[in-house]
Amino acid sequence: MGFSVLTLFGSFFVLLLMNIPIAVALGLSSIISLIVFDVPLSIYSFTMYSATAKFTLLAIPFFILAGMIMERAGISKRLIDFANKAVGHLRGGLAIVSVITSCFFAAISGSGPATVAALGSILIPAMDDAGYEKGMASALVASAGAIGIIIPPSIAFVVYGVVAEVSIGKLFIAGIVPGLLFGLSLIVASLIVSKNYEFKNVKVATPAELWKSFREALWGIMTPVIILGGIYGGIFTPTEAAGVAVFYGLFVGIFIYKELKIRDLGKLMVDASISSAVVMLIVSSASVFAWIVTTQGIATGIAQSMMAMTTNKFIILIIMNIILLIAGCFIDAISAYYILLPIFIPILNVIGVDLLHFGIIMTVNLAIGQFTPPVGVNLYVACGIAKISLSRISRAVIPFVVVSIIALLLITYIPFISTFLPSLLGM
């Protein structure tokens, strides 16, 4: 097993250190291993095709397109305005607004970077102008954007459900409370960090102003209601829900808000196609990597080694969390699912951890990775918007990483947080 691990994982990490894109690194390390292990290279193309030829994965390009349409339609600024009218007058109100709107937009986009991009261009300048330190404001928006892969509909949950063979509908509903807990922890941290800031006074919105902003934002607020309500009402599947989200976004953007023009659709389609192609390339390359991990006995060997050290469920979950937190610093969630799940699933079955519950644990870990240096993608998006250095935002993000890990531990050791909603709905 040692030689197999060294060949596959060693070549992968060497390629990453050479700054090779993750999808390419996964593919090249897989090809190297196939040659070394004298496996026919035809396996590569066959496995790539079979990994992507799944109806469920159609949800990914549709949710990506839906998120782009919603952003272009003007939904994000209306959500921000409503949240600002509701709580913006409170001390630290804009920090609360950042997290609340991230929760709402997460339920539209399903993506962390998309949430940061859509909200950051409005919230970061507003927080800077209101008296927040720009590094802290950027770090908060980057951290809150990670809620995008926890609160449904989540692209990450779609991939986890495919890899682990867990109901995507159950994953969606199970992610709601952990996502809200994650957001609450960020609000607490932001209020503590900003307690010594001098803020500009913000007048309290009148009931009429609050009602007007709510009516404007209602079409955006209804998006997750329609998507999740349709899924759990048995009207459509998660994959079909993604298609419904696209047409709903088009309707709202073109006919209600009238900010989306027919001429914009071509560029939106191209952008969504590029983003989808990147995701699917990672899925297909990672699937070959995972196939090698499984067939060469690497997953079994590592699992047996871990079980030989301890069978204590508490300790094993701590070890898995540490591995996932470290992995999240360097690789994206989709790659992590394909690389690590073949190793973890046999262990989880032995120690009796529900794969639904572990899906939430793993996704929260990888959400934290989105705003953890050195490869936290949300940090780079926020840096680009705020025009600040990575070192500045990396220092400011530390309190948010700490409270997120506390939330992660609660989610890990109190399964009820993740499972009670599916149980309540009889799922």
Side-chain angles (χ1 to χ4, degrees), residues 78-79 81-83 85-86 208-218 221:
R78 288 172 172 82
L79 290 173
D81 181 64
F82 170 58
K85 290 287 195 301
E209 290 172 332
L210 183 60
W211 173 245
K212 182 175 182 293
S213 66
F214 172 73
R215 283 191 292 109
E216 283 287 306
L218 182 61
I221 295 171

Side-chain angles (χ1 to χ4, degrees), residues 359-378:
I360 308 301
I361 296 172
M362 190 168 187
T363 303
V364 171
N365 269 288
L366 299 171
I368 295 171
Q370 289 194 333
F371 57 93
T372 307
V375 193
V377 63
N378 287 10

Side-chain angles (χ1 to χ4, degrees), residues 79 82-83 99-109 147 151-152 220-221 224:
L79 290 173
F82 170 58
V99 178
I100 291 175
T101 51
S102 292
C103 289
F104 275 116
F105 200 80
I108 296 172
S109 72
I147 299 172
I151 286 184
I221 295 171

Side-chain angles (χ1 to χ4, degrees), residues 6 39 60 74 93 95 122 183 227 232 234 278 282-283 303 342 356 390 401 409 415:
L6 183 62
V39 177
I60 293 176
I122 303 172
I227 293 172
Y232 303 123
V278 171
I282 293 173
V283 167
L356 175 67
L390 182 63
V401 173
L409 292 174

Side-chain angles (χ1 to χ4, degrees), residues 392-403:
R392 181 175 174 184
I393 197 173
S394 296
R395 290 192 297 271
V397 84
I398 292 173
F400 303 116
V401 173
V402 171
V403 295

Side-chain angles (χ1 to χ4, degrees), residues 294-365:
T294 303
T295 59
Q296 294 299 315
I298 296 173
T300 304
I302 296 176
Q304 289 175 346
S305 299
M306 288 183 66
M307 295 300 293
M309 289 189 294
T310 180
T311 55
N312 185 295
K313 182 177 176 179
F314 181 92
I315 296 174
I316 287 176
L317 286 174
I318 282 286
I319 293 171
M320 288 182 174
N321 275 328
I322 292 171
I323 292 171
L324 288 167
L325 286 172
I326 294 172
C329 293
F330 298 97
I331 60 176
D332 61 282
I334 294 171
S335 302
Y337 290 140
Y338 278 93
I339 294 170
L340 296 174
L341 276 175
I343 298 171
F344 287 164
I345 287 176
I347 303 172
L348 296 169
N349 289 335
V350 171
I351 63 176
V353 174
D354 182 6
L355 288 180
L356 175 67
H357 176 215
F358 188 74
I360 308 301
I361 296 172
M362 190 168 187
T363 303
V364 171
N365 269 288

